[in-house]
Amino acid sequence: MRKAFLSIILPCLFFISCSKERQEVPVVPESLKTIMETSDCVCDGYINLYTWKNQSVYVLGYKGPACDWRPVYFDQNGEEIEMEKAYSYTDFLQESKLIKNIWSCK
């Protein structure tokens, strides 16, 4: 009885463990790669990938406490997106979903 149980359960566990969903590795546009390679890291820059209004959006931001900055938004091709003047970064964060931190300046 025990052998029959193990012969059924073990193969099931094997197939379940092998069917993990693969996460796609985002292809970072060249314009963002240039930013990452040439950054001076004074204000602890970062680039995050979000899903916003059914599209992929990269955001360039900074963490430095003494740094005055505004976010820069890029589409999946690395082209800058201009948001409406009244649209804030807080609005964007509420309407989007963080997918992954692509780069953090260290």
Side-chain angles (χ1 to χ4, degrees):
M1 175 75 174
R2 187 173 183 186
K3 286 184 180 182
F5 178 74
L6 289 176
S7 66
I8 293 171
I9 295 298
L10 287 178
C12 289
L13 291 174
F14 175 78
F15 287 113
I16 291 170
S17 68
C18 290
S19 65
K20 290 183 180 178
E21 187 177 314
R22 287 186 181 176
Q23 283 189 328
E24 283 188 34
V25 176
V27 176
V28 179
E30 289 300 319
S31 60
L32 298 180
K33 286 181 184 177
T34 302
I35 291 170
M36 293 185 289
E37 292 168 358
T38 60
S39 178
D40 60 8
C41 294
V42 171
C43 288
D44 299 329
Y46 64 90
I47 297 175
N48 286 340
L49 174 61
Y50 294 87
T51 299
W52 176 71
K53 296 185 178 183
N54 295 322
Q55 61 181 340
S56 296
V57 176
Y58 294 91
V59 176
L60 170 63
Y62 298 90
K63 297 179 187 174
C67 297
D68 185 24
W69 63 278
R70 69 171 184 81
V72 182
Y73 306 93
F74 299 91
D75 66 13
Q76 64 189 14
N77 299 318
E79 301 290 325
E80 191 171 337
I81 301 171
E82 286 291 326
M83 298 294 190
E84 296 176 16
K85 291 189 187 249
Y87 193 76
S88 71
Y89 186 52
T90 303
D91 294 335
F92 176 82
L93 293 176
Q94 290 174 348
E95 296 176 3
S96 64
K97 179 182 175 188
L98 176 64
I99 302 300
K100 183 177 185 172
N101 172 261
I102 301 298
W103 169 79
S104 291
C105 198
K106 295 182 185 202

